[in-house]
Amino acid sequence: MRIQDAYLQQFRQVGDLHMDNIITVAKHERIISKVTVNYMQKAYEMRIEQRSPTQQAMANLYAHYSQVPSWVDFEQLQRGMDVFFKYLPAVSASLFFRSLISGFCFPGITEVLNETAYLGKKNSKKRSGTSNRRLLDTITYVTANMISAESLKPGGEAWKWGLEVRVIHGKVRHRLLNNKQNKWDTSSHGVPINPEDMSATLLGFSQAAIQGLDWILPIMSSADKADYIALWRYIGWLVGIDTRNDNIARPETTLDPLGGSSKQIELINTCISQHLIQTTDDAKKMTKHILSSVIGQDKETSYKLLSVMSHKWLGKDFASALDISMTNNLLLKSMVVVHINMLRLYMIAVTKFRLIGQIAVDMNRRLTLFAVNTMNERRKFRRSFLDNRRGETSRCPMAKFISLKED
């Protein structure tokens, strides 16, 4: 049974009730800059009579998310992380081509990215060349959630990152809605970073990624899928996506996209995609921008190769609707076919042979941690050097140079 557009539309006109309330109270007290996870933790540890209204609101939120929901099994979350690393080569490609690029076709999400210049410049006054840095932010955040289940427990680093992302979303939402020079159009785009757009993003990291793996080769077990979905449901809960059995959730704004059976999750993913996807000019520009930002030294050949891969992963019709050009270069087409077949062989090996799967999990986890830490260290050095020369500091809210490590 299809979910009606009218039902989904209601989720576009609300934000994050609890975080928005904190930001509103903090604005009244003129301490919005102090709304951070660390400050939230300090407020939680203070005596009640010493708390200001903002501190009380933050303490309440911190206390609620310190109580793990009854549906969370941390052993299952660890298995979900292992699934991520076991299928990492295929998952990475699926997340980039099917999740990220498809996400540009959600107008509400694209408009937020445009207004914040998060994956490119909005106009000539904005600095370009930030896409790789923003992608690294996302990769670092995803990796932080995949290190260990311990890190996702209350007080853990990944747990804090989830709440920090929620704080950032609240501040961005507040700024966009209160921008007098460029008034946000809620009638067209809904409230910025609303539950439906958040759910679409969450489904992109989870259900859409699984569908990409099934497209390569439908060999992933239902147990692995369930573990991976459970992991992302908990991550989604931390960043503000209400679940039906959350006692501070409002029923009318509780979408819980990953809370049902596999068929229900697939249905809601389809319905949200059909409700939101539009191949607008902004989607086309952003797709071209992101494909251009990750190419190598031979820009023309690299772009053509990524274009061929996009046509394979997205389908000819969808890729063409996004104005992704297609080349007749047989060598590049052959390279893409070989790449996909190699992913298939890899998936067979890690699925059919348990020892190979375990080795892949450990190796991919270590390689990912090394790669992300190395990129962040280089970025830290470069930003520090540039900031010292310019006498400024980065204003990107996610420009945090953390060192990921296994517990």
Side-chain angles (χ1 to χ4, degrees):
M1 185 175 180
R2 190 180 185 282
I3 300 173
Q4 298 299 313
D5 288 350
Y7 175 79
L8 293 173
Q9 191 64 31
Q10 67 177 318
F11 297 104
R12 305 201 59 75
Q13 298 305 317
V14 293
D16 180 341
L17 172 67
H18 312 290
M19 185 53 64
D20 292 345
N21 177 61
I22 291 174
I23 299 296
T24 300
V25 177
K27 180 183 179 182
H28 179 73
E29 295 184 25
R30 298 183 179 180
I31 57 170
I32 287 183
S33 62
K34 290 187 177 182
V35 180
T36 63
V37 171
N38 289 335
Y39 195 70
M40 200 179 293
Q41 182 178 358
K42 291 179 181 178
Y44 173 73
E45 294 170 349
M46 292 173 62
R47 296 172 60 180
I48 295 178
E49 60 270 18
Q50 296 177 329
R51 296 171 183 164
S52 69
T54 300
Q55 290 169 330
Q56 184 61 56
M58 288 194 292
N60 291 340
L61 189 72
Y62 194 92
H64 176 75
Y65 284 90
S66 295
Q67 301 298 315
V68 179
S70 59
W71 47 266
V72 174
D73 176 357
F74 283 102
E75 290 184 1
Q76 183 182 37
L77 300 192
Q78 186 62 61
R79 294 196 300 270
M81 296 172 187
D82 292 344
V83 169
F84 175 82
F85 285 115
K86 181 166 71 173
Y87 295 105
L88 183 62
V91 169
S92 300
S94 184
L95 286 174
F96 183 82
F97 290 103
R98 293 181 70 96
S99 302
L100 181 62
I101 293 179
S102 295
F104 294 150
C105 297
F106 299 147
I109 296 175
T110 304
E111 190 63 21
V112 171
L113 295 175
N114 271 333
E115 290 296 325
T116 58
Y118 192 72
L119 282 174
K121 58 180 181 178
K122 181 187 174 187
N123 53 51
S124 58
K125 295 181 180 180
K126 298 286 186 179
R127 287 186 299 170
S128 60
T130 61
S131 294
N132 286 335
R133 196 146 44 100
R134 301 309 183 237
L135 285 175
L136 180 55
D137 287 335
T138 302
I139 293 170
T140 303
Y141 174 65
V142 170
T143 304
N145 283 293
M146 300 297 159
I147 296 174
S148 73
E150 288 295 319
S151 186
L152 275 173
K153 290 182 178 180
E157 286 302 311
W159 182 86
K160 289 181 179 180
W161 266 71
L163 294 186
E164 188 69 33
V165 167
R166 188 170 181 175
V167 169
I168 292 168
H169 286 171
K171 291 181 179 180
V172 169
R173 188 183 304 109
H174 173 80
R175 180 165 64 85
L176 293 179
L177 288 175
N178 292 277
N179 188 339
K180 295 180 180 180
Q181 295 181 342
N182 188 19
K183 189 67 176 177
W184 180 269
D185 187 356
T186 55
S187 61
S188 298
H189 305 302
V191 172
I193 317 178
N194 57 68
E196 187 182 24
D197 285 343
M198 287 288 290
S199 296
T201 302
L202 187 68
L203 286 161
F205 279 105
S206 53
Q207 179 63 21
I210 289 174
Q211 289 177 337
L213 266 63
D214 283 343
W215 171 76
I216 296 174
L217 188 69
I219 198 174
M220 192 176 181
S221 70
S222 57
D224 278 354
K225 292 179 181 179
D227 293 340
Y228 187 69
I229 289 293
L231 171 62
W232 279 104
R233 188 188 184 202
Y234 179 64
I235 294 171
W237 177 74
L238 287 176
V239 298
I241 300 177
D242 292 337
T243 56
R244 284 185 291 273
N245 58 349
D246 187 342
N247 59 20
I248 69 168
R250 294 181 298 167
E252 68 272 18
T253 58
T254 305
L255 196 52
D256 199 7
L258 301 180
S261 65
S262 58
K263 289 186 177 180
Q264 289 171 326
I265 294 170
E266 185 175 352
L267 172 65
I268 196 169
N269 183 47
T270 300
C271 292
I272 287 179
S273 296
Q274 291 176 348
H275 183 226
L276 296 182
I277 283 183
Q278 298 178 35
T279 52
T280 62
D281 289 340
D282 280 341
K284 295 173 184 178
K285 291 177 182 177
M286 199 160 286
T287 298
K288 184 176 182 179
H289 182 80
I290 207 66
L291 289 177
S292 300
S293 70
V294 296
I295 57 182
Q297 292 182 344
D298 188 346
K299 295 183 178 181
E300 183 178 356
T301 302
S302 298
Y303 186 83
K304 287 181 179 180
L305 179 61
L306 288 175
S307 297
V308 175
M309 294 183 74
S310 298
H311 274 260
K312 276 289 185 180
W313 280 93
L314 297 172
K316 181 179 178 181
D317 293 340
F318 194 11
S320 298
L322 285 171
D323 288 347
I324 301 176
S325 58
M326 185 60 176
T327 180
N328 291 320
N329 189 310
L330 293 179
L331 177 60
L332 294 180
K333 289 183 176 181
S334 300
M335 289 173 63
V336 172
V337 171
V338 170
H339 176 253
I340 292 173
N341 284 325
M342 288 180 66
L343 290 178
R344 287 173 179 155
L345 291 174
Y346 174 87
M347 290 179 66
I348 291 173
V350 298
T351 303
K352 296 295 185 181
F353 302 97
R354 187 173 182 178
L355 180 59
I356 294 178
Q358 292 173 343
I359 294 173
V361 169
D362 183 64
M363 181 181 69
N364 286 334
R365 178 180 279 112
R366 292 177 184 277
L367 288 175
T368 302
L369 290 175
F370 175 78
V372 172
N373 283 331
T374 300
M375 289 187 291
N376 272 310
E377 284 300 319
R378 289 179 178 175
R379 169 181 166 186
K380 180 179 180 180
F381 174 79
R382 184 172 181 274
R383 288 301 303 157
S384 298
F385 175 73
L386 291 176
D387 290 346
N388 288 335
R389 291 189 63 183
R390 296 169 179 160
E392 63 180 26
T393 57
S394 173
R395 295 184 178 183
C396 172
M398 288 294 285
K400 297 181 177 180
F401 313 115
I402 65 169
S403 178
L404 302 178
K405 59 183 183 300
E406 293 186 85
D407 293 333

